[in-house]
Amino acid sequence: MLVLGIESSCDETAAALVRDGREMLSSVISSQVEIHKRFGGVVPELASREHLDKIVPVVEEAFARAGVGQDEIDGIAVTRGPGLVGSLLVGLSFAKAMAYALEKPFVGVNHIEGHIYSVVFDNPPLEYPAFALVVSGGHTNLFLVPEPGRYRVLARTRDDAAGEAYDKVAKMLGLGYPGGPIIERLAREGDPRAVKFSLPRMGDGLPDFSFSGLKTAVSKHVRETGLKPVAEGEEPSQAVKDLAASFQSVVIRSLVGTTERLAGEHKPRALIVAGGVACNEALREASRELGRRIGVPAYFPSRHLSTDNAAMIAAAGTVKLQAGLSDGLDLDADVSLRLQNVGLEEDARARGHIHYRL
Ligand code: KG4
Ligand code: ZN
């Protein structure tokens, strides 16, 4: 089955062609980072305008690189949420129009489910139940995946996503956007024990994540020590590197510690770590170590597939299309789409599909 994937939920316009849910024929990503950089974050209006400009050339490029014709595809998978509404609508409307014109089925995909599927390209088939830790600029969730297509949230962030905390701390320190890669680089030269930040804990004892208190603690530290934000072109001081390392160490200990505690209870057979923050080598190493401690393999997407892309959307959509699921042209974008307790079977029943098969 040859599927065209389309992703436009945030600030990347992406299209990919994927065969049988695992073989990536092409993956084209047009990033808007340069546009949003000077604002220190994504500006929604600029993002949707840019998606409008890029969607046609990006899809054309995906077909050209894959060397296949539009009428050779068996279906289209497109992100329908969560994300920015103006951004989502560009990809979704384009996918619907293309599906209608080509008379092919199309299916809406949850962006977070897409991130989980980003590991299928470079890893052996997964064993279930699996744990999926999705850490990006918009989400920080730990899912239990008892079987393909079924998800249960075990822990979620109460406030900021981990990537958002990286971006905000980087902005505070004058380091630019996106913050994750810059902080990771500086942290390598810093002492993670230099600044003592406490691990976030929930008052109600639930295993959720929280990163906004840590962000406030960093801001307080900056104020109290009189640390100056790094000016453009200036080499960051040792104090900034130590702060970056101390911040990152708490983020990683929090993510890995919670995952380990819940693994004791749920006994997963695989650990997936995906999303933009999964580019972070220190998080990868800590997750590999966790995998060794609990005796399960840790799977990561290749770096190209860690941040937003359309190959992961095509892979997740292929499973649904193969199960006989498709959406109608009335499908709407859902900015706060959740991924919880969805199973392929319920999904099929809820949509009234009679062709359901697994
Ligand atoms: O998955 P993604 O491209 O977009 C969302 O769905 O949010 O993730 C982007 C996020 C940004 O917050 C960025 O700072 C973070 O991923 N990120 C990193 C690294 N590379 C990207 N965070 C930590 N370390 C990195 N190396
Ligand atoms: Zn994402």
Side-chain angles (χ1 to χ4, degrees):
M1 178 179 271
L2 181 62
V3 172
L4 166 68
I6 295 177
E7 153 68 34
S8 71
S9 65
C10 189
D11 60 343
E12 259 100 28
T13 320
L17 281 149
V18 172
R19 198 180 296 284
D20 299 329
R22 290 190 79 88
E23 191 195 340
M24 189 163 60
L25 304 188
S26 65
S27 172
V28 179
I29 303 171
S30 167
S31 169
Q32 306 177 0
V33 162
E34 289 307 318
I35 293 171
H36 302 289
K37 222 173 193 168
R38 68 197 127 117
F39 303 102
V42 178
V43 183
E45 288 78 7
L46 296 181
S48 15
R49 229 179 292 163
E50 187 66 13
H51 283 305
L52 271 176
D53 269 358
K54 291 288 150 58
I55 187 82
V56 172
V58 162
V59 171
E60 281 176 352
E61 178 75 16
F63 276 102
R65 284 198 206 167
V68 299
Q70 295 188 355
D71 49 358
E72 287 178 61
I73 61 170
D74 299 294
I76 300 175
V78 58
T79 305
R80 67 169 293 224
L84 301 167
V85 68
S87 292
L88 287 165
L89 282 172
V90 175
L92 185 60
S93 316
F94 184 91
K96 282 183 193 175
M98 194 160 173
Y100 180 74
L102 295 173
E103 295 181 33
K104 306 280 182 187
F106 90 99
V107 69
V109 170
N110 184 309
H111 179 80
I112 305 173
E113 184 173 25
H115 273 300
I116 296 174
Y117 273 86
S118 65
V119 301
V120 303
F121 297 100
D122 302 284
N123 292 291
L126 282 174
E127 288 206 60
Y128 296 90
F131 260 19
L133 180 62
V134 182
V135 236
S136 71
H139 328 279
T140 302
N141 291 309
L142 176 66
F143 296 96
L144 171 67
V145 192
E147 59 186 36
R150 186 180 295 274
Y151 306 94
R152 189 174 140 206
V153 177
L154 298 181
R156 63 160 56 87
T157 181
R158 295 279 175 96
D159 36 62
D160 293 353
E164 191 180 354
Y166 268 98
D167 294 338
K168 287 180 177 168
V169 165
K171 193 171 182 180
M172 231 182 268
L173 298 174
L175 297 174
Y177 172 84
I182 309 169
I183 290 192
E184 172 174 26
R185 190 158 37 77
L186 296 180
R188 272 191 225 124
E189 294 164 28
D191 175 4
R193 283 158 311 224
V195 190
K196 300 264 173 295
F197 293 123
S198 47
L199 267 178
R201 286 213 192 291
M202 295 303 109
D204 52 18
L206 286 175
D208 284 345
F209 304 110
S210 163
F211 297 103
S212 132
L214 175 60
K215 177 191 67 192
T216 310
V218 171
S219 147
K220 191 159 164 266
H221 175 85
V222 169
R223 230 181 16 253
E224 286 174 0
T225 58
L227 197 66
K228 294 265 171 306
V230 180
E232 221 176 314
E234 186 191 17
E235 168 65 12
S237 63
Q238 191 55 42
V240 168
K241 293 175 181 171
D242 287 346
L243 183 54
S246 305
F247 160 78
Q248 172 163 291
S249 142
V250 178
V251 172
I252 294 177
R253 274 190 286 140
S254 161
L255 293 170
V256 172
T258 300
T259 306
E260 182 159 16
R261 246 184 314 141
L262 288 162
E265 191 181 322
H266 295 277
K267 310 268 184 287
R269 297 174 69 192
L271 171 62
I272 299 165
V273 183
V277 184
C279 288
N280 189 291
E281 194 44 53
L283 173 62
R284 286 185 181 220
E285 192 42 42
S287 308
R288 276 187 219 109
E289 276 168 25
L290 165 62
R292 284 193 283 273
R293 281 200 297 282
I294 61 174
V296 306
Y299 296 131
F300 311 94
S302 66
R303 257 161 248 280
H304 166 80
L305 297 177
S306 292
T307 47
D308 291 347
N309 65 86
M312 67 185 195
I313 302 301
T318 300
V319 178
K320 294 183 201 303
L321 290 165
Q322 281 174 337
L325 298 175
S326 62
D327 283 301
L329 292 174
D330 56 347
L331 183 75
D332 219 341
D334 185 344
V335 294
S336 46
L337 188 63
R338 301 279 282 268
L339 184 63
Q340 183 154 23
N341 292 329
V342 190
L344 282 174
E345 204 167 335
E346 285 98 318
D347 198 352
R349 266 195 239 111
R351 299 186 206 205
H353 283 271
I354 38 170
H355 302 302
Y356 171 72
R357 67 183 159 79
L358 248 191

